[in-house]
Amino acid sequence: MAQALATLREKFKEQEKEIAALREKVAQLEMSKTPAPRPDVKVTPPTSLTAKSSLSNEDIMRYSRQLLLPEFGVKGQINLSKTSVLVVGCGGLGCPLAQYLAAAGVGRLGLIDYDEVELNNLHRQVLHREENQGQAKALSAASAIKSLNSTVQCCPYQLQLSPENALDLIQQYDIVADCSDNVPTRYLVNDACVLSGKPLVSASALRMEGQLTIYNYKGGPCYRCLYPAPPPPDTVTNCSDGGVLGVVPGIMGCLQALEVFKIASGQGSSLHQQLMMFDAQDARFRSIKLRPRQSDCAVCGQNPSVTKLVDYESFCGSAATDKCRKLNLLSRDQRITVQAYKLMLDKAEPHLLLDVRPLVEVDICSLPFSLNIPLSQLEAKNSDDIHLLRERISHLKHQIAGISQPPVFVICKLGNDSQKAVNILEQMSGLQVDSIIVKDICGGLMAWANIVDPSFPQY
Amino acid sequence: MTARVCVLYFAKSAELTGLKEEEVAAVPTPISSRDLWNLLLQRHPRLQTLQDRVVLAVRQQYVAIGDQVAVTLGDRDEVAVVPPLSGG
């Protein structure tokens, strides 16, 4: 009897232990369920930065290597900790910039980005991780910053900077870093900085080149002083079209952080009225001495015509994004869908498929039966290429005797260049080459990959 | 008087001309910045799309296209054509 009682008591104790462990587990899980800080979708003023008058022992240990610099010292560190910096764009420039400023102990970082992390961002946007794919970039960057330096106040804004919110946001910060990727946003940030009197540290990068300037600073020019009119939208190359080597925005973002750092710490930037250019191919920096602020500038001049923020997308004729634009140059009967083209292939109808992408893209992937002549070579009427095209068309004509105008289909990555090529080929039809019927394949190879063949690579 | 200068093309201008740099002989000097730009346009008509949207620099110093001020060029002087980059 006593034996049985003891065994039961033992069992009871074990069960109690198990229940306690389970309770703890539940509590832990509930704790981790508390939502992560949500990015601001509206602009709410952050709490003000408290001015430190001295450094804590932890500050001294953390920042000791930069405190030892006579140019910086304790005063520079305290100044930095009182400074707020608004980072416009958490991409290839914004990531390294935010990373170094946070590491150095900047007071507050505002991180703006409307976009989400994609796999093709990771080669250059070094704050984001594989597991952050699909997450808001502002939030992903903020969580990386938090784990690097938890003493930095970090304000993620998952929104597109717009004429409606830009002044509210910028007014809350001391320095603005333009890390954006498109022309309308660059004009918007510039005008907002001029109107609110903030220095604008502006970097940009594409392919193997970078530029860095500080606008609206110490009597130097603003972006509009240099570029009063925006470039025609079809002449602007973005990173998704033109490509960019990740380390190039990395270098430019670091240089940009350096200038922010110097302004914030009180040393001042030596780059005012200068345009610094970096050529990654030749590993060479050059600087151009710029003019001062222009008295006839539309926004920072003596009689400005821009006294409030305007519609920058219509001013520039393009959207405030670096996503590719969709051109519409052709009529409906000059285009076919990828599905219709697939049906034609299935029926083995003779035709010529012309791929007008640059060779470097054809090397990534292509349809095996296509003929590649890049658009630039068609535009330049390159004689070797015209000869090749003429031969292929005349061969096709023999193949399908009876059809007076052999069909030529034009494809590119997204269906923009192919439309331009259709126009060129129509002009050539019956002159430089046999008379043909030319059609554009809508949406290009990316539509082909999305709709027809999911195994076809996307880039 | 003429000068033999080295013209550097950056960003879009390098794409449009297919060149990163070239020597241009017999450039009249002094020359107005507008004439200097027009001379480059004559060599590379595709640069037209950058008209009024480009920084021109002589000896690493900004010159406004359209300024009446004449630029004096010497042999081996650097002329840079710098359109803005907007990517990031």
Side-chain angles (χ1 to χ4, degrees), chain A residues 120-420:
Chain A
N120 63 30
N121 299 147
L122 301 186
H123 82 121
R124 66 187 191 283
Q125 304 183 10
V126 292
L127 284 178
H128 311 307
R129 298 282 168 263
E130 282 181 3
E131 61 267 25
N132 301 126
Q133 285 179 78
Q135 205 186 2
K137 282 187 187 176
L139 201 56
S140 160
S143 77
I145 293 297
K146 273 271 165 252
S147 62
L148 171 62
N149 190 345
S150 58
T151 67
V152 172
Q153 224 189 76
C154 203
C155 306
Y157 306 98
Q158 189 192 353
L159 47 77
Q160 174 127 31
L161 194 72
S162 70
E164 290 73 37
N165 62 27
L167 285 176
D168 275 350
L169 264 167
I170 284 175
Q171 272 158 8
Q172 293 161 16
Y173 289 83
D174 301 314
I175 303 170
V176 178
D178 189 347
C179 305
S180 69
D181 58 11
N182 64 81
V183 183
T185 303
R186 292 197 177 265
Y187 279 97
L188 165 63
V189 174
N190 176 72
D191 289 2
C193 283
V194 170
L195 295 176
S196 37
K198 308 285 178 177
L200 170 58
V201 184
S202 176
S204 56
L206 184 73
R207 295 189 170 137
M208 302 281 279
E209 276 181 272
Q211 294 178 352
L212 175 64
T213 316
I214 302 173
Y215 294 113
N216 197 39
Y217 179 67
K218 286 190 178 169
C222 81
Y223 191 67
R224 278 190 195 254
C225 292
L226 284 189
Y227 310 108
D234 55 335
T235 67
V236 177
T237 312
N238 56 31
C239 292
S240 39
D241 276 345
V244 64
L245 202 66
V247 70
V248 177
I251 287 167
M252 298 317 295
C254 286
L255 284 171
Q256 191 179 15
L258 177 66
E259 296 312 308
V260 171
F261 187 82
K262 289 196 293 196
I263 296 174
S265 64
Q267 300 167 66
S269 168
S270 36
L271 254 190
H272 79 286
Q273 242 173 282
Q274 295 266 345
L275 164 62
M276 183 193 262
M277 298 179 292
F278 173 55
D279 180 335
Q281 192 79 61
D282 301 347
R284 198 166 168 181
F285 287 99
R286 274 195 181 79
S287 260
I288 289 176
K289 178 98 177 76
L290 298 173
R291 292 188 300 181
R293 189 162 69 88
Q294 291 302 286
S295 58
D296 60 351
C297 173
V299 65
C300 76
Q302 272 159 1
N303 293 302
S305 55
V306 179
T307 53
K308 58 182 177 50
L309 299 179
V310 297
D311 180 345
Y312 294 88
E313 295 192 329
S314 64
F315 174 64
C316 298
S318 57
T321 157
D322 82 331
K323 309 278 187 269
C324 295
R325 303 182 330 124
K326 275 210 180 342
L327 294 179
N328 247 321
L329 305 175
L330 305 176
S331 66
R332 193 186 284 181
D333 59 346
Q334 289 173 296
R335 312 182 75 179
I336 69 163
T337 62
V338 284
Q339 295 97 320
Y341 180 70
K342 174 71 167 59
L343 278 177
M344 232 201 60
L345 273 187
D346 291 344
K347 285 192 258 171
E349 288 180 22
H351 68 282
L352 176 63
L353 177 65
L354 184 66
D355 184 337
V356 294
R357 293 173 302 150
L359 186 61
V360 69
E361 290 182 46
V362 175
D363 281 344
I364 298 173
C365 56
S366 65
L367 291 174
F369 39 86
S370 58
L371 169 69
N372 173 234
I373 300 178
L375 176 67
S376 60
Q377 258 132 280
L378 280 179
E379 284 173 334
K381 301 264 153 57
N382 183 301
S383 58
D384 286 352
D385 290 311
I386 303 290
H387 181 75
L388 178 63
L389 188 62
R390 187 187 306 130
E391 285 206 328
R392 291 290 293 268
I393 288 170
S394 108
H395 178 75
L396 179 64
K397 201 175 172 181
H398 284 297
Q399 213 181 324
I400 44 171
I403 296 177
S404 60
Q405 290 179 303
V408 175
F409 295 93
V410 188
I411 201 161
C412 65
K413 181 185 175 190
L414 291 162
N416 289 337
D417 280 359
S418 53
Q419 294 182 61
K420 295 182 190 168

